[in-house]
């Protein structure tokens, strides 16, 4: 046997011994337990985009006194448009004597407090319910030089506002709350006193609302509708 063949045999025996030893140790090493289930850790997810306007606060519904009526120039006037202002709403008619007597006082109050205190006065004519209608209102406004806006009432409006007689004057706070009510022309200076109380934020007890409570200073419209 030559030397070369001997070396090859020895080398082969060594390799075989190494493989056997490796296989033995791998067999004898305990196998690591495998999990029954694969648990994936949740990845942080981006929050869904907020809907447009979702962060806005809900605006409370306006529960204040409100009505809508046409004006002499064909437009529309809405009481709620004057939130933030003290408002006087005067129901009247061209044929109503007590109404005629208190209109000059309203004109004076509007002139005095409209710009200085933000006072709004709305005259609501009832001539569409009884009288000559709209054709009588415009000449009357011009004759008396009424400086505040005029609206035209129908039966539905006066029923909604609980108006049974004219003049009926409502004093409405900047929040739309009814502060006081005067039915009839009343005594001299009563409108002015109620207006100052409205401007100063003083709530007054409402005046009697029945026409029979103020004889001679009021016209009952509940019997002509």
């Amino acid at each position: 046997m030559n030397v070369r063949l001997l070396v090859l045999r020895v080398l082969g025996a060594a390799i075989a011994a190494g493989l056997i030893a490796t296989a033995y140790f791998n067999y004898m090493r305990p196998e690591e337990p495998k999990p029954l289930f694969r648990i994936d850790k949740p990845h942080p997810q981006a929050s869904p985009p907020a809907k447009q306007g979702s962060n806005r606060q809900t605006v409370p519904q306006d529960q204040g006194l409100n009505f809508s009526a046409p004006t002499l120039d064909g437009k529309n006037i809405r009481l709620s448009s004057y939130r933030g202002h003290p408002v006087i709403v005067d129901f009247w008619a061209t044929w109503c004597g007590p109404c005629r007597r208190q209109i000059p006082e309203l004109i004076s109050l509007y002139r005095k407090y409209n710009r200085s205190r933000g006072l709004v006065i709305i005259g609501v004519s009832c001539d569409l319910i009884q009288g000559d209608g709209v054709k009588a209102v415009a000449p009357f406004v011009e004759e008396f030089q009424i400086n505040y806006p005029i609206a035209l009432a129908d039966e539905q409006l006066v029923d909604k506002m609980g108006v049974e007689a004219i003049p009926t004057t409502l004093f409405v706070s900047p929040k739309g709350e009814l502060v006081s009510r005067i039915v009839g022309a009343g005594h001299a200076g009563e409108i002015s006193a109620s207006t100052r109380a409205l401007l100063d934020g003083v709530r007054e007890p409402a005046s009697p609302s029945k026409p029979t409570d103020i004889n001679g200073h009021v016209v009952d419209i509940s019997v002509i509708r």
Side-chain angles (χ1 to χ4, degrees):
M1 180 180 299
N2 56 27
V3 177
R4 182 177 179 181
L5 181 59
L6 180 61
V7 171
L8 290 175
R9 286 183 177 180
V10 171
L11 182 59
I15 293 173
L19 292 174
I20 292 172
T22 300
Y24 175 79
F25 284 115
N26 286 338
Y27 175 78
M28 296 299 296
R29 186 176 59 182
E31 185 178 1
E32 294 182 1
K34 296 181 180 179
L36 296 177
F37 299 100
R38 182 174 181 269
I39 302 176
D40 293 327
K41 294 182 180 181
H43 296 286
Q45 297 179 355
S47 301
K51 295 182 180 180
Q52 187 175 1
S54 60
N55 292 330
R56 297 179 182 175
Q57 295 181 350
T58 302
V59 179
Q61 187 176 1
D62 186 354
Q63 300 291 339
L65 200 65
N66 192 28
F67 66 82
S68 178
T71 61
L72 285 175
D73 57 2
K75 297 180 181 179
N76 205 59
I77 194 167
R78 186 179 296 274
L79 179 57
S80 60
S81 299
Y82 298 100
R83 293 290 187 261
H85 291 268
V87 182
I88 297 175
V89 182
D90 181 50
F91 288 85
W92 64 283
T94 59
W95 45 265
C96 167
C99 303
R100 286 172 172 262
R101 290 196 294 273
Q102 78 173 23
I103 283 177
E105 187 176 3
L106 290 170
I107 293 172
S108 177
L109 289 168
Y110 187 77
R111 184 182 298 115
K112 183 176 182 179
Y113 294 120
N114 174 246
R115 292 189 178 182
S116 63
R117 303 291 297 275
L119 176 67
V120 173
I121 298 180
I122 303 173
V124 184
S125 168
C126 297
D127 286 86
L128 293 181
I129 302 171
Q130 176 72 12
D132 294 332
V134 115
K135 65 180 181 180
V137 180
F140 184 92
V141 170
E142 185 176 356
E143 177 187 352
F144 277 75
Q145 298 183 351
I146 297 178
N147 52 358
Y148 47 84
I150 299 296
L152 303 171
D154 57 14
E155 293 185 13
Q156 183 178 2
L157 174 56
V158 295
D159 286 343
K160 176 183 177 180
M161 305 304 293
V163 176
E164 296 184 357
I166 53 175
T168 289
T169 308
L170 310 179
F171 297 83
V172 184
S173 76
K175 294 182 179 180
E177 300 169 336
L178 180 62
V179 174
S180 61
R181 175 197 302 255
I182 297 177
V183 180
H187 57 75
E190 186 176 5
I191 294 288
S192 296
S194 296
T195 300
R196 287 190 293 270
L198 172 66
L199 295 174
D200 293 338
V202 178
R203 180 178 293 276
E204 295 182 336
S207 296
S209 59
K210 294 296 182 181
T212 54
D213 293 337
I214 312 175
N215 293 325
H217 300 283
V218 65
V219 176
D220 187 356
I221 62 172
S222 62
V223 297
I224 60 177
R225 290 190 277 128

